[in-house]
Amino acid sequence: MKKTTQFKNLLQSSGLEFILEAHNGMSARIAEEAGFKGIWGSGLSLSAQFGVRDNNEASWTQVLEMLEFMSDATTIPILLDGDTGYGNFNNMQRLVHKLEQRDIAAVCIEDKLFPKTNSFIKGDAQPLADIDEFCGKIKAGKDAQRDDDFSIVARVEAFIAGWGLQEALRRAAAYHEAGADAILIHSALSVPDEVLAFKREWGDRCPVVIVPTKYYATPTDVFREHGFSICIWANQMMRAAIGAMQQTAKSLLEDENLLSVEDRIVPVSEVFRLQGAAELQEAEKRYLPKSAQGVRAIVLAASRGTELGELTETKPKAMVEIGGTPLLSHITTAYNAVGIKKITVVRGFGKQMMDLPGPDYVDNDEFADTGELFSLQTALAKLDDEQDTIISYGDVLFNKYIPQALSEEKDEFVIAVDTNWRESVNRHRLADYVRCSHPNSRQAFGSRIVLERIGADLPEGAIHGEWMGFLKVGRTALPLLREMLEEILATPEGRRAKMPVLLNELVSRGRPVRVIYTTGHWLDIDSLDDVVQAGSF
Ligand code: SPV
Ligand code: MG
């Protein structure tokens, strides 16, 4: 329902309704969340939160700016305390336009002179507006509104200024006649006598609104019984915030530590919740380019890597330094460079030495008797949310191009294959050679290439490339991956199996494993020679 209509309904409701002061987007949201059906955009509180006096020191456009935040943060109507309308009838018309543009439901104007002073500061010394001039302002406002349900509340300050009941009634009648949708009758007494006397005389000519700040001890049922329309709790949110801030500031200054205040203040997670951070995260999933956002990595680094001889006597391979920096650090840097921050490293051999800050660690303490798939399962067991995942090795150096390219592919399973495989063959290296649906060629450009088989034993004539050790698994395929690992790991050979076993199993189950061909951009550290060569990678 339109906010203007909601507010009109509050004014016309048969029971007493309540609206709560708010002075910025956050307090407005809190008011709505608490269950209030409307908000009072208090002039006192809005100026107070700016740190200025309630004397029109904040310009009306500054007030408008804040109202926009309040309106955007809420779905309930806001009644702006529009002071005297910030000028004459002409300013009032522009104000109404601007309020409607910002989805503010209603404005209340008071019959004082610009610049006004708060009613509780020497109220009886305050001059009132000329009745005819004020009626013209109401009429101009009503003529300016484009939404029929926009409301103008006329606030009678006759009691505040010490003029008594008859003047209050005379003014209210004139304002009602001029088109005001409701009367706000204000009083600075600590008892409700003035407003009750007014209401008895006024009857039900139009809805009457009250602000019981000073007669706060009056039981609310008294207002209900007298048939008031809306009761405004006009400044309590701002006053509560001031008290809490003063206490916190004092404690922090005296104690010089956060412990004394932490339990008394809301956690930052509550701030994020009120700001709607979760909604943005959802939107990011929908609207941001897929690339690497929302992708995580699992780095398999549990094995010792005996092929590096004394370098890995005590140190795990992933901690061997390449160009003065541990391999693992190069790996996390490359992932970070494409926005992949969530990295889970499976450690095993020499795990106490693998403690670089940044990644999360899970331990495969059975690393000596188990293989890569066991490590992978260990990592997945710790990751319960389903997110696109790149699985790679702790002994492979790579350019950020690789995770970037994998992230962009939408297939459930994607691997990166190096077409420069002859180099490995010439070096008699045992490598994970692959045969694909098409070799890398100009003809293949644009076709969807999938894996047919992976193995170190592929005959040379059948090889299309070398697997670089990267497998991307799409979020939706993770349940299948978990299920397959469960099955494979149920056998003794399965517990020692390496990643290619999984890839071949996917092929034999008819699950396409998408291949992206690339040349270079990576280096597998398998020998001391590789370590030396990697220094210039
Ligand atoms: C306000 O909240 O700014 C008001 C109400 O105008 S009062 O301060 O009671 O005058
Ligand atoms: Mg005010």
Side-chain angles (χ1 to χ4, degrees), residues 86-326:
Y86 312 113
N88 68 3
F89 76 92
N90 182 42
N91 304 89
M92 176 70 179
Q93 290 204 306
R94 187 164 167 79
L95 174 67
V96 170
H97 280 317
K98 293 293 146 189
L99 293 179
E100 285 193 331
Q101 284 168 359
R102 282 156 183 76
D103 209 11
I104 306 302
V107 63
C108 173
I109 51 169
E110 62 196 65
D111 53 358
K112 292 206 300 236
L113 303 185
F114 181 89
K116 49 66 61 91
T117 297
N118 186 274
S119 304
F120 302 143
I121 299 177
K122 292 205 207 138
D124 54 5
Q126 298 188 18
L128 294 188
D130 172 78
I131 294 185
D132 290 339
E133 191 268 341
F134 195 71
C135 285
K137 216 182 263 185
I138 295 168
K139 279 194 194 117
K142 289 309 288 178
D143 286 345
Q145 75 186 54
R146 289 169 192 171
D147 179 335
D148 287 345
D149 287 345
F150 184 88
S151 299
I152 295 182
V153 178
R155 166 164 159 180
V156 174
E157 291 279 288
F159 288 132
I160 297 289
W163 293 100
L165 180 60
Q166 288 318 310
E167 180 67 8
L169 287 165
R170 189 166 79 91
R171 284 175 172 267
Y175 305 160
H176 177 45
E177 174 74 24
D181 298 284
I183 296 296
L184 187 158
I185 186 72
H186 206 13
S187 168
L189 296 187
S190 58
V191 288
D193 299 8
E194 288 177 334
V195 298
L196 298 186
F198 175 87
K199 185 66 175 73
R200 273 187 217 106
E201 290 296 319
W202 182 257
D204 293 320
R205 278 182 263 177
C206 75
V208 179
V209 179
I210 47 170
V211 182
T213 305
K214 291 284 177 177
Y215 45 98
Y216 62 84
T218 310
T220 301
D221 273 346
V222 173
F223 307 141
R224 208 169 260 127
E225 283 151 16
H226 279 76
F228 287 104
S229 160
I230 294 180
C231 173
I232 300 178
W233 308 133
N235 48 44
Q236 290 69 25
M237 295 283 270
M238 179 263 297
R239 287 161 61 194
I242 289 176
M245 288 192 278
Q246 284 170 330
Q247 262 190 28
T248 305
K250 186 167 179 286
S251 299
L252 287 176
L253 183 76
E254 284 169 3
D255 302 346
E256 294 184 340
N257 77 61
L258 295 176
L259 210 62
S260 57
V261 301
E262 189 59 30
D263 291 344
R264 281 195 270 126
I265 58 183
V266 298
V268 285
S269 58
E270 176 60 1
V271 181
F272 299 150
R273 189 189 66 78
L274 283 162
Q275 288 172 308
E279 189 189 324
L280 176 58
Q281 277 160 16
E282 276 309 304
E284 281 173 350
K285 284 190 203 143
R286 254 175 291 136
Y287 303 123
L288 281 184
K290 262 286 161 273
S291 67
Q293 61 95 16
V295 178
R296 69 178 169 213
I298 295 176
V299 178
L300 306 176
S303 73
R304 172 164 177 189
T306 42
E307 58 284 0
L308 294 191
E310 62 189 38
L311 277 185
T312 55
E313 215 151 75
T314 53
K315 233 187 219 184
K317 202 170 165 189
M319 294 306 286
V320 168
E321 293 195 354
I322 306 288
T325 309

Side-chain angles (χ1 to χ4, degrees), residues 34-81:
F36 280 90
K37 294 187 215 159
I39 287 168
W40 169 243
S42 158
L44 171 62
S45 300
L46 282 161
S47 36
Q49 62 79 39
F50 281 126
V52 298
R53 287 173 283 250
D54 188 12
N55 290 70
N56 296 116
E57 289 183 350
S59 75
W60 72 274
T61 51
Q62 287 172 323
V63 170
L64 204 62
E65 284 267 306
M66 186 58 88
L67 280 176
E68 187 170 342
F69 281 104
M70 293 165 63
S71 177
D72 287 348
T74 49
T75 64
I76 53 175
I78 298 174
L79 166 62
L80 169 66
D81 171 7

